[in-house]
Amino acid sequence: MTSPPYDVVVRPDGLHHLESSDPHNIVRLILPQAATPSARNEQAAETLHRWLSEGVLATDPEPGLYIYEQRDGEGMLQRGIIGALRVSDPAEQVVLPHEDVMPHIVADRAALMRATSANLEPLLLTYRGDGSTTATADLIERTADRPPLLSTTTEDGFSHRLWSVTAPADLAAIQTDLARHQALIADGHHRWATYRRLRTEHPSPSPWDHGLVLLVDTARYPLRVRAIHRLLHDLPVDRAVAALHGLFRVRRLVAPLPEALEALADAACEGNAFLLAGDGSFHLVDHPDPDLLARTIPADRPAAWRTLDATVLHATLLEHVWHIPEDSPAHIAYIHDTAATVAKAERDGGTAVLMHPVREEVVRDLARQGVTMPRKSTSFGPKPASGLVLRTLDL
């Protein structure tokens, strides 16, 4: 039934695998397959209504929140709260975005949510707990000692457990605790932008005033921050490397992927660095020409933004060196899995641009300044599994 979030599924291989593994996999709702966008959305709506009528999905009889736990075999433990959060405007500084969004993806998600009248998967928000959130933290820990409402293990080795919280006193304590905190969007910028768009389309008060989220206290449960890589469809590696002559230092590495990523991490400690792949080897790109950066990167942003690898990639490499439009799916894809990015580049004759992750504190500091990073700059995880909690808006 479960799936990674819609934008993490590696299509088409991962999509087909999930579809064939279970006739009731949530991927049939979040990534419906049909000839046209309207047909896809109609199919998702019909599937959702059928699953509800057949009892595949069941509506919780009482309003409440959910305590959600993820655990892997390497000691990673994450616990948080799933619920409906009021959709706020950026000026309120309640929910802090840190990345730009692509309009065509927001339009796609909005059309799907309109058709299904549902929030099909929670986005991931983080907050930094302190002494004022002890009641929430204690409630989460106490609840996790009870038998769960649901328990499952996904293919990636993560175990997932879910508990419902319906006692009015508990719900009030959580609301009071968290009301004073800011939340950072860790994963789901496009879905949050979609929530905001759909809220404006429905007179308030309405169910569209809220959106489904998972809130995690990263002071107690630090998230892993990984990079999101780029696949440049129509740019072979030899052309990509040739265009860098005199602008960056480029070194060819004949090494397995783990060693190449270690070299990237070492280079990233000294400045902007990228790893190109797609021709059977790796090319470490670093030491950009300072004059090139001065010409291509906007000077009206904080230094922490100007020196981001994602900023240099988008403002300098994509726009000025390789002349690739960043908002065109025909030219560029954003992929979370490192090995999959390399494999697709080698198979398709394109260029994989492997990135080094950004630290969470850098992300949060920029967000508090109201500065958004280039789109798809970070991948926080573990992400909530889609398919465990949905929110329908017309019941």
Side-chain angles (χ1 to χ4, degrees):
M1 182 65 185
T2 65
S3 161
Y6 78 97
D7 58 337
V8 181
V9 177
V10 178
R11 290 171 276 187
D13 297 346
L15 178 62
H16 294 160
H17 170 70
L18 290 167
E19 282 187 323
S20 61
S21 66
D22 186 343
H24 300 122
N25 193 285
I26 190 66
V27 77
R28 297 177 184 272
L29 299 183
I30 61 176
L31 290 172
Q33 298 300 292
T36 66
S38 61
R40 289 196 292 270
N41 295 332
E42 290 173 7
Q43 178 178 295
E46 292 172 359
T47 300
L48 176 59
H49 293 148
R50 185 175 71 254
W51 287 359
L52 286 166
S53 65
E54 294 175 351
V56 175
L57 295 172
T59 303
D60 198 315
E62 297 182 83
L65 299 171
Y66 297 91
I67 305 301
Y68 175 51
E69 176 190 278
Q70 293 165 279
R71 188 190 298 265
D72 69 6
E74 301 176 357
M76 177 71 179
L77 173 64
Q78 177 173 291
R79 289 174 178 156
I81 300 170
I82 296 178
L85 181 69
R86 182 180 67 86
V87 179
S88 56
D89 292 321
E92 297 180 62
Q93 290 278 292
V94 174
V95 175
L96 304 174
H98 70 268
E99 288 182 356
D100 293 331
V101 297
M102 291 174 267
H104 73 278
I105 295 181
V106 175
D108 173 76
R109 291 294 100 184
L112 178 62
M113 288 190 203
R114 285 191 206 99
T116 57
S117 192
N119 300 151
L120 297 172
E121 47 185 345
L123 53 88
L124 175 60
L125 305 182
T126 72
Y127 65 97
R128 299 291 292 178
D130 53 27
S132 69
T133 59
T134 53
T136 299
D138 290 345
L139 176 62
I140 290 175
E141 302 306 317
R142 290 199 315 271
T143 303
D145 287 334
R146 303 200 316 253
L149 178 69
L150 178 150
S151 179
T152 188
T153 300
T154 46
E155 287 186 343
D156 58 6
F158 271 88
S159 65
H160 306 259
R161 298 198 297 168
L162 195 72
W163 299 262
S164 63
V165 177
T166 58
D170 291 337
L171 299 179
I174 292 173
Q175 185 172 11
T176 300
D177 270 1
L178 300 186
R180 295 183 293 273
H181 285 265
Q182 290 178 318
L184 174 72
I185 301 178
D187 184 68
H189 283 81
H190 290 90
R191 281 167 283 168
W192 183 255
T194 301
Y195 290 168
R196 293 185 55 238
R197 174 182 291 193
L198 294 174
R199 184 197 60 177
T200 66
E201 297 176 3
H202 298 82
S204 185
S206 83
W208 298 94
D209 291 341
H210 295 77
L212 188 65
V213 305
L214 165 64
L215 279 161
V216 174
D217 176 3
T218 53
R220 295 179 67 89
Y221 300 107
L223 271 65
R224 293 169 176 163
V225 187
R226 294 192 170 110
I228 301 177
H229 310 296
R230 276 66 169 160
L231 176 62
L232 311 181
H233 296 300
D234 300 322
L235 182 66
V237 176
D238 59 346
R239 282 174 44 201
V241 170
L244 300 176
H245 180 71
L247 303 176
F248 286 77
R249 183 176 69 173
V250 182
R251 290 172 286 168
R252 184 170 180 266
L253 306 178
V254 180
L257 178 58
E259 291 184 19
L261 291 174
E262 288 181 7
L264 173 62
D266 290 341
C269 293
E270 301 180 6
N272 300 118
F274 312 91
L275 200 62
L276 307 188
D279 60 355
S281 62
F282 298 98
H283 305 266
L284 182 61
V285 177
D286 61 0
H287 289 197
D289 175 50
D291 291 337
L292 172 68
L293 300 183
R295 293 195 310 270
T296 56
I297 294 179
D300 60 347
R301 301 288 186 92
W305 181 90
R306 297 197 307 270
T307 56
L308 289 170
D309 288 339
T311 298
V312 173
L313 173 62
H314 285 258
T316 302
L317 285 170
L318 292 180
E319 183 174 351
H320 290 278
V321 178
W322 292 328
H323 306 290
I324 294 175
E326 64 177 349
D327 57 354
S328 171
H331 294 89
I332 184 170
Y334 299 83
I335 305 177
H336 294 72
D337 185 89
T338 307
T341 311
V342 174
K344 288 177 73 67
E346 292 179 346
R347 183 170 65 243
D348 301 340
T351 294
V353 183
L354 306 184
M355 310 282 289
H356 187 67
V358 184
R359 299 191 314 278
E360 180 184 357
E361 55 266 30
V362 173
V363 176
R364 192 175 296 275
D365 287 346
L366 285 172
R368 283 174 174 157
Q369 296 177 58
V371 178
T372 55
M373 300 165 65
R375 59 195 60 170
K376 299 292 184 182
S377 293
T378 60
S379 175
F380 285 84
K383 306 178 191 304
S386 299
L388 298 178
V389 178
L390 291 71
R391 177 175 177 257
T392 55
L393 284 76
D394 58 356
L395 296 179

